[in-house]
């Protein structure tokens, strides 16, 4: 299964956040509508749940809390819904709050197509010879062919690049901005008794990361941090050093573990991790057929791999199995313009 060539849309500065979202929705209306129509989680789980009386307090609480905390990003989503011509309920609430809503749907109504948090893998290192963060972006197969890159320019002068799921805020996956901040994200589930109905959505938190500006000191030190956050204001910050650090979709320092992530952690521990090539081979590993690090379905699929290199000051996107290193995009982190370096898409460039 192969998706189309990843498109990039340059947008902004705009007169307001609604217009930013509207232009994104308008440009990618076909991908957004196609994603919603083929998303079995949305069609079979989220939409039926949203029509029940039980769902209304949850949807209301999520909407009010996040709109109050992040009014600009809420306006951006309103624009995306209007620009793509799809219902606000589908785009703003059900798609962008998918992870926050699913725990409240009775397990008796969930089927085999139910969503999972067991996706994404990272390997990180900071040493004398390299400072690299490599990341597999794994998601439900419904997202294959339904992602794009947004290069946003804001009225305050900030620019960002964000790998974006169709209809969602940039970015629940990975991105970088003109302040030199680059990040990758892994979804990790909280324990059941800590799930609350009125929390801040992960998509809104990650959208806010794209506008973070306090990274000058970290960049000067070639710093890579693994940050885990959980409820009750708990935070764990681990500074990555010369020992390669692998992270899947479970808390290593705060909370619960899951079988999929444990399996990937164990497999990563026995694979070579001495070079960038080793890291890409690790992220392309399929030895464990039940829980492979590189996923090809039937439920989860590795959409792409990104490599953030602090020495080269680049963010690279690789399509297909990363062990073969077929590069589709390379962005410079050395310029405020976040320039796209020339890549021969006909033949591909290899790391």
């Amino acid at each position: 299964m192969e998706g189309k060539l990843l498109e990039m849309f340059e947008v902004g500065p705009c007169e307001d956040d609604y217009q930013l979202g509207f232009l994104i929705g308008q440009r990618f209306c076909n991908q957004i509508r196609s994603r919603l129509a083929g998303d079995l989680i949305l069609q079979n789980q989220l939409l039926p749940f949203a029509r029940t009386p039980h769902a209304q307090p949850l949807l209301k609480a999520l909407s009010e809390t996040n709109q109050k905390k992040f009014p600009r990003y809420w306006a951006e989503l309103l624009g995306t819904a209007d620009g793509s011509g799809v219902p606000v309920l589908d785009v703003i609430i059900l798609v962008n709050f998918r992870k926050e809503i699913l725990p409240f749907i009775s397990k008796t109504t969930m089927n085999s197509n139910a969503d999972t948090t067991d996706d994404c893998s990272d390997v990180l290192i900071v040493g004398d010879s390299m400072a690299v963060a490599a990341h597999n972006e794994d998601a439900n197969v419904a997202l294959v062919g339904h992602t794009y890159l947004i290069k946003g320019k804001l009225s305050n002068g900030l620019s960002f690049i964000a790998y974006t799921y169709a209809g969602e805020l940039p970015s629940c996956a990975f991105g970088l901005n003109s302040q030199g901040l680059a990040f990758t994200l892994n979804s990790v589930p909280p324990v059941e008794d800590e799930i609350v109905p009125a929390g801040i959505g992960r998509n809104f938190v990650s959208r806010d990361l794209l506008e973070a500006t306090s990274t000058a000191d970290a960049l000067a030190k070639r710093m890579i941090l693994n940050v885990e956050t959980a409820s009750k204001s708990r935070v764990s910050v681990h500074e990555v050093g010369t020992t390669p650090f692998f992270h899947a979709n479970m808390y290593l320092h705060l909370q619960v573990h899951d079988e999929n992530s444990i399996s990937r952690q164990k497999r990563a521990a026995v694979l070579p991790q001495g070079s960038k090539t080793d890291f890409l081979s690790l992220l392309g590993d399929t030895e464990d057929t039940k829980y492979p690090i590189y996923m090809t379905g039937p439920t989860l699929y590795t959409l792409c791999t990104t490599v953030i290199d602090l020495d080269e000051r680049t963010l690279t996107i690789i399509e297909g199995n990363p062990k073969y290193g077929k590069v589709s995009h390379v962005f410079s982190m050395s310029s405020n313009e976040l320039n796209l370096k020339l890549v021969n898409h006909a033949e591909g460039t290899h790391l």
Side-chain angles (χ1 to χ4, degrees):
M1 183 185 300
E2 295 292 339
K4 298 179 181 178
L5 181 67
L6 189 63
E7 294 184 62
M8 184 174 75
F9 179 44
E10 297 190 31
V11 59
C14 297
E15 63 183 31
D16 56 30
D17 299 285
Y18 175 88
Q19 185 189 36
L20 176 70
F22 184 90
L23 293 174
I24 293 172
Q26 187 177 58
R27 170 64 181 271
F28 294 108
C29 62
N30 290 335
Q31 288 95 322
I32 294 171
R33 292 175 185 177
S34 175
R35 184 252 174 113
L36 298 184
D39 189 331
L40 296 180
I41 305 303
L42 174 66
Q43 299 297 332
N44 298 337
Q45 308 293 340
L46 295 171
L47 280 171
F49 173 72
R51 299 186 187 107
T52 66
H54 176 67
Q56 302 316 305
L58 170 63
L59 301 183
K60 184 174 184 291
L62 280 171
S63 299
E64 291 179 349
T65 299
N66 287 270
Q67 184 176 10
K68 181 179 180 180
K69 178 68 175 178
F70 295 112
R72 289 182 46 232
Y73 308 149
W74 189 267
E76 186 178 320
L77 275 179
L78 283 174
T80 300
D82 289 347
S84 60
V86 301
V88 170
L89 173 67
D90 293 16
V91 167
I92 293 186
I93 298 177
L94 299 183
V95 170
N96 281 274
F97 290 124
R98 168 193 299 254
K99 298 289 187 182
E100 289 75 25
I101 295 172
L102 283 172
F104 293 90
I105 300 179
S106 170
K107 287 183 173 60
T108 60
T109 66
M110 302 285 277
N111 60 30
S112 60
N113 293 315
D115 200 13
T116 174
T117 55
D118 301 330
D119 42 27
C120 298
S121 299
D122 287 78
V123 58
L124 319 169
I125 189 171
V126 176
D128 293 336
S129 61
M130 59 180 168
V132 170
H135 168 88
N136 273 3
E137 184 57 31
D138 307 319
N140 190 281
V141 293
L143 270 301
V144 176
H146 298 110
T147 62
Y148 41 79
L149 292 169
I150 298 297
K151 183 176 182 180
K153 296 183 179 181
L154 306 180
S155 57
N156 63 3
L158 186 76
S159 298
F160 64 78
I161 302 287
Y163 184 87
T164 305
Y165 292 4
E168 299 192 30
L169 281 170
S171 160
C172 66
F174 58 85
L176 73 157
N177 69 21
S178 54
Q179 292 293 316
L181 172 70
F183 63 85
T184 66
L185 297 169
N186 288 358
S187 174
V188 286
V191 293
E192 290 189 6
D193 61 1
E194 293 186 354
I195 298 174
V196 296
I200 299 297
R202 67 189 184 104
N203 279 17
F204 286 81
V205 174
S206 57
R207 172 64 181 83
D208 203 42
L209 273 178
L210 288 170
E211 300 191 22
T213 59
S214 57
T215 60
D217 184 55
L219 283 174
K221 297 178 180 177
R222 294 172 74 245
M223 182 181 292
I224 295 178
L225 301 175
N226 181 78
V227 181
E228 295 181 353
T229 64
S231 57
K232 302 177 183 178
S233 301
R234 285 170 295 172
V235 178
S236 169
V237 179
H238 171 76
E239 182 176 349
V240 176
T242 56
T243 300
F245 183 85
F246 182 86
H247 202 293
N249 294 86
M250 66 180 187
Y251 290 102
L252 296 181
H253 306 114
L254 290 181
Q255 286 188 359
V256 295
H257 296 172
D258 70 272
E259 184 179 356
N260 187 322
S261 293
I262 290 173
S263 176
R264 284 181 283 147
Q265 291 281 161
K266 289 182 177 179
R267 177 60 182 163
V270 301
L271 293 173
Q273 299 182 35
S275 67
K276 188 188 296 186
T277 300
D278 287 342
F279 294 161
L280 295 177
S281 293
L282 184 159
L283 292 176
D285 185 75
T286 58
E287 183 69 22
D288 187 326
T289 57
K290 185 177 181 181
Y291 296 125
I293 295 176
Y294 180 78
M295 304 177 183
T296 56
T299 302
L300 292 171
Y301 196 90
T302 300
L303 301 174
C304 68
T305 300
T306 188
V307 179
I308 300 167
D309 191 315
L310 295 189
D311 293 318
E312 296 181 359
R313 303 295 301 276
T314 56
L315 183 149
T316 300
I317 298 175
I318 303 169
E319 296 184 304
N321 191 308
K323 69 171 62 177
Y324 304 120
K326 185 177 180 181
V327 173
S328 65
H329 299 76
V330 181
F331 296 98
S332 172
M333 298 170 60
S334 300
S335 166
N336 288 339
E337 297 300 316
L338 303 175
N339 293 324
L340 175 64
K341 295 187 175 183
L342 182 63
V343 175
N344 186 338
H345 291 288
E347 299 179 357
T349 299
H350 295 263
L351 288 178

